[in-house]
Amino acid sequence: MSDIKAIDKQYVAGTYARFPVQIVSGKGSQVWDETGKRYIDMGSGIGVTAFGVADEEWKRAVTAQLDLVQHTSNLYYTEPCARVAEQLCTRTGMKKVFFCNSGAEANEGAIKAARKYAAEKKGAEHFTIVTLQNSFHGRTITALAATGQEHYHELFQPLTPGFVHAEAGDLAGTVALAKEHRAAAVMIECVQGEGGVIPLDKEYVRGLADFCAAEDVLLIVDEVQTGNGRSGALYSYMTYGVTPDVVSTAKGLGGGLPLGAVLLGEKTQNVLGPGDHGSTFGGNPVCCAGALSILNRLTDDFLAGVRRKSELVFSTLTGAEGVESVSGLGLMIGVKTRKPAGDVVRACLERGVLCLTAKDRVRLLPALNIPEDILREALDTLLAACK
Ligand code: PLP
């Protein structure tokens, strides 16, 4: 069989509703399919290829490490792993990093750290994690339990116990739920990504952080999608002016290779000891070499550029024909369109622009270094598809 789409359909588990496009190559914010058709990539592999496809600096870093050693296990030290942890800590004020391979795993690690902290500090009954309605934290059984959207839960009962879901924005309600359940932690996404690219209210997040600090309930911020420059800050919580106790991240961190991280703050830095948690691939030197090339370039100047491009997207789309509203932060943008989002995304695909959806919105997660002319071209196409 030579038709890749047919082979894929026959042999790959049917968990994804793929678009009828086979991507064979790319450069920066453009990719090409098997027929040679060019697309502007406004999804960056769901927020992963932070500096675009086949980025030269990232490739150099990754291939240089491949020439040295591709994997060692966590029984030994490697420089890229130590250097990424050093950068993550010195640039955030967090104290230690646990490395894994994906967003769901990062959340698993964050939840384990929170439960152990609370059990040791307050007692075994303090295991509940409060998360928010409409949140998304991943697909493993525990990350699904954390996810505050019932429809993801239905077919996979019983999920990990000890999760309750508060209404986003309702501070009194969230606090009451945390108190009622003697919560170990509250876990939030500052911008609910899969939930429709909806930023949380700043006062709400600050109020929550104050409550958590006062009651020694841990604040976990899921920065899987918002993190690593996507929000226009290194991590979105920085825009909110709060200090989390635990941060989970993945997606853009490795720039296209699987890398997740749990950042542990002042209180939680020593909670995971030898044997408490682990991952064969976590902190893989090739993935970490890629991550270093990403983090090195997420400078203040570069992040200011991300914010400028964000303003360009907001100002171009807000109030345009067929656009009802625009939400998001940085280059993580949700567009509520008059036409169904799926129809708009399909029309964009036909016209050579790859976009995503999140709930009822078109979601844009372009590479952080997308050139302005290509960004404008993609927005013109999107607007034409919205009419
Ligand atoms: N957390 C958030 C906020 C996400 O957006 C996602 C994925 O979209 C995840 C967790 C899960 O990440 P992964 O698919 O890498 O497990």
Side-chain angles (χ1 to χ4, degrees), residues 46 102-105 107 136-139 189 194 222 224-225 250-251:
I46 321 189
S102 69
E105 272 182 277
N107 287 331
F136 185 83
H137 297 294
R139 303 280 191 161
E189 301 154 86
E194 302 299 312
D222 178 340
V224 170
Q225 191 162 154
K251 283 197 185 283

Side-chain angles (χ1 to χ4, degrees), residues 46 48 101-107 135-140 143 147 187-189 191-195 222-226 248 250-251 259 332 363:
I46 321 189
V48 168
N101 316 285
S102 69
E105 272 182 277
N107 287 331
S135 59
F136 185 83
H137 297 294
R139 303 280 191 161
T140 60
T147 293
M187 179 164 162
I188 59 169
E189 301 154 86
V191 183
Q192 295 191 323
E194 302 299 312
D222 178 340
E223 295 269 4
V224 170
Q225 191 162 154
T226 49
S248 56
K251 283 197 185 283
L259 184 65
M332 178 172 172
R363 178 172 38 154

Side-chain angles (χ1 to χ4, degrees), residues 10-353:
Q10 183 164 347
Y11 295 111
V12 176
T15 52
Y16 306 107
R18 299 200 204 278
F19 290 104
V21 175
Q22 180 193 339
I23 294 175
V24 292
S25 67
K27 192 72 203 159
S29 286
Q30 303 176 89
V31 295
W32 285 269
D33 73 8
E34 82 283 14
T35 68
K37 178 172 170 182
R38 168 224 188 219
Y39 300 84
I40 298 177
D41 182 8
M42 292 294 282
S44 57
I46 321 189
V48 168
T49 47
F51 281 77
V53 176
D55 169 64
E56 291 302 327
E57 196 168 328
W58 181 85
K59 271 197 316 184
R60 263 197 304 280
V62 166
T63 50
Q65 183 57 41
L66 273 173
D67 280 337
L68 294 173
V69 58
Q70 82 274 30
H71 175 79
T72 59
S73 89
N74 278 305
L75 297 175
Y76 311 101
Y77 295 97
T78 63
E79 180 167 357
C81 172
R83 292 280 181 218
V84 175
E86 179 186 37
Q87 277 233 28
L88 289 173
C89 290
T90 53
R91 294 178 66 182
T92 61
M94 301 298 278
K95 302 295 178 199
K96 290 209 191 296
V97 180
F98 173 83
F99 286 108
C100 52
N101 316 285
S102 69
E105 272 182 277
N107 287 331
E108 294 268 349
I111 290 160
K112 281 181 76 172
R115 284 201 167 157
K116 184 160 181 245
Y117 175 88
E120 286 179 348
K121 196 89 189 283
K122 297 178 169 180
E125 69 281 15
H126 291 262
F127 56 78
T128 298
I129 314 283
V130 178
T131 70
L132 300 184
Q133 292 165 13
N134 197 46
S135 59
F136 185 83
H137 297 294
R139 303 280 191 161
T140 60
I141 287 289
T142 299
L144 274 185
T147 293
Q149 301 189 56
E150 283 301 318
H151 68 100
Y152 286 112
H153 296 176
E154 277 155 18
L155 302 174
F156 304 103
Q157 300 293 334
L159 301 179
T160 307
F163 290 87
V164 293
H165 310 296
E167 187 185 333
D170 175 7
L171 183 58
T174 311
V175 165
L177 208 59
K179 285 186 172 163
E180 180 193 338
H181 290 273
R182 292 181 285 199
V186 177
M187 179 164 162
I188 59 169
E189 301 154 86
C190 289
V191 183
Q192 295 191 323
E194 302 299 312
V197 200
I198 302 170
L200 296 184
D201 177 66
K202 282 205 169 133
E203 291 310 307
Y204 171 70
V205 173
R206 287 186 192 137
L208 210 50
D210 289 345
F211 160 75
C212 287
E215 299 290 324
D216 198 14
V217 170
L218 297 179
L219 178 64
I220 305 174
V221 180
D222 178 340
E223 295 269 4
V224 170
Q225 191 162 154
T226 49
N228 313 300
R230 174 62 52 194
S231 71
L234 186 58
Y235 290 99
S236 66
Y237 73 79
M238 295 169 166
T239 307
Y240 281 74
V242 298
T243 305
D245 299 297
V246 183
V247 172
S248 56
T249 192
K251 283 197 185 283
L253 179 61
L257 287 171
L259 184 65
V262 185
L263 281 55
L264 300 161
E266 189 72 45
K267 285 183 185 174
T268 52
Q269 58 183 308
N270 295 318
V271 76
L272 295 175
D276 284 342
H277 200 34
S279 162
T280 298
F281 291 113
N284 170 278
V286 179
C287 302
C288 284
L292 265 182
S293 94
I294 301 292
L295 289 171
N296 283 338
R297 286 181 282 169
L298 296 177
T299 60
D300 289 346
D301 273 359
F302 180 83
L303 293 170
V306 171
R307 296 194 293 274
R308 273 196 301 279
K309 282 179 216 167
S310 172
E311 281 162 23
L312 172 70
V313 177
F314 271 87
S315 63
T316 307
L317 298 182
T318 306
E321 190 185 342
V323 173
E324 290 182 358
S325 62
V326 188
S327 64
L329 195 63
L331 285 175
M332 178 172 172
I333 292 167
V335 189
K336 178 94 182 68
T337 49
R338 189 170 38 77
K339 291 185 191 166
D343 292 355
V344 173
V345 167
R346 270 187 296 277
C348 284
L349 183 85
E350 275 163 30
R351 294 162 196 240
V353 174

